[in-house]
Amino acid sequence: AQSVTQLGSHVSVSEGALVLLRCNYSSSVPPYLFWYVQYPNQGLQLLLKYTSAATLVKGINGFEAEFKKSETSFHLTKPSAHMSDAAEYFCAVNSNYQLIWGAGTKLIIKP
Amino acid sequence: GAGVSQSPRYKVAKRGQDVALRCDPISGHVSLFWYQQALGQGPEFLTYFQNEAQLDKSGLPSDRFFAERPEGSVSTLKIQRTQQEDSAVYLCASTLLYGDEQYFGPGTRLTVT
């Protein structure tokens, strides 16, 4: 069965610093992988997705993620954090029609 | 419509009341999902529709929860005899293609007092 693990329920970085949010998955089939962002009191918005094409996926707002099959990872990065990036981030893997979700990582940006 | 819409955005119910939450998916999207999201957690799957057919309701926590999508577009999630543990944000999502990215509505925050 597919599963997703996000390391760190909270990550704090300074404005302008590198953002790294970790996601590891388990899947018995080649996965589709997703990162979503949720701002307070809003629904989830797709940041980027991996669907077995290029392993480095670029998304919105300057985020990107790299699929590493050998490490079963799909970590999310952004070179320089902005205050507007403060939100909760969820990694998900597809399982037939469903998405299996990680528990989320809250990104805190320090001025 | 331009995106998935949900109504109401906020609902306060007294314990024991029935509530109905509405979801309007993106026009033409075949698949529709309902999720429950507790504070500080990821979405938990409740149920899945393909057109008007409810193909999976394994995530519904009890028989007090009921969902329908009679014409394959708008969906309603009904909770009977609400309990405090039902307090959560209820999210609706739709997809065009099987297994593809899901488009989410803003959610309905239900508070049971």
Side-chain angles (χ1 to χ4, degrees):
Chain A
Q2 279 84 343
S3 67
V4 174
T5 303
Q6 290 184 243
L7 288 176
S9 59
H10 292 76
V11 169
S12 181
V13 303
S14 296
E15 191 174 17
L18 171 72
V19 175
L20 171 60
L21 304 183
R22 298 177 187 273
C23 173
N24 288 87
Y25 70 92
S26 69
S27 177
S28 55
V29 298
Y32 284 11
L33 292 156
F34 305 83
W35 274 100
Y36 281 82
V37 61
Q38 187 174 34
Y39 297 101
N41 298 316
Q42 293 187 29
L44 292 111
Q45 179 184 6
L46 181 71
L47 271 180
L48 49 81
K49 63 179 180 180
Y50 167 77
T51 57
S52 74
T55 57
L56 182 63
V57 182
K58 293 189 185 298
I60 61 171
N61 301 340
F63 284 93
E64 61 182 38
E66 186 172 8
F67 172 71
K68 291 188 177 179
K69 185 178 178 181
S70 61
E71 299 178 8
T72 61
S73 68
F74 190 56
H75 301 331
L76 182 71
T77 60
K78 181 173 179 177
S80 177
H82 192 272
M83 294 300 291
S84 60
D85 295 327
E88 188 140 23
Y89 292 79
F90 293 92
C91 181
V93 64
N94 73 309
S95 174
N96 295 320
Y97 51 83
Q98 280 194 46
L99 290 181
I100 306 300
W101 297 85
T105 298
K106 190 166 187 176
L107 178 62
I108 300 160
I109 311 296
K110 297 179 290 186
Chain B
V4 179
S5 61
Q6 292 186 246
S7 60
R9 289 292 315 277
Y10 302 90
K11 177 70 180 176
V12 178
K14 289 197 167 121
R15 194 164 68 93
Q17 279 185 333
D18 298 348
V19 298
L21 313 180
R22 178 187 167 106
C23 172
D24 262 287
I26 294 173
S27 178
H29 278 199
V30 167
S31 300
L32 185 145
F33 302 79
W34 282 100
Y35 292 91
Q36 181 188 62
Q37 186 178 24
L39 193 63
Q41 296 186 25
E44 294 280 344
F45 171 79
L46 292 178
T47 187
Y48 162 64
F49 289 85
Q50 190 168 9
N51 295 306
E52 69 279 2
Q54 189 175 22
L55 298 187
D56 187 343
K57 54 181 181 179
S58 62
L60 295 177
S62 77
D63 59 7
R64 296 185 296 103
F65 286 71
F66 172 75
E68 60 183 6
R69 193 186 185 198
E71 296 176 0
S73 55
V74 171
S75 177
T76 304
L77 176 67
K78 296 179 180 177
I79 309 174
Q80 297 176 322
R81 305 180 303 282
T82 52
Q83 305 294 315
Q84 275 197 310
E85 62 263 28
D86 300 334
S87 295
V89 175
Y90 290 86
L91 296 168
C92 176
S94 68
T95 71
L96 180 59
L97 299 172
Y98 178 91
D100 205 356
E101 66 197 74
Q102 296 183 12
Y103 293 84
F104 281 82
T108 295
R109 181 178 297 277
L110 173 65
T111 304
V112 181
T113 60

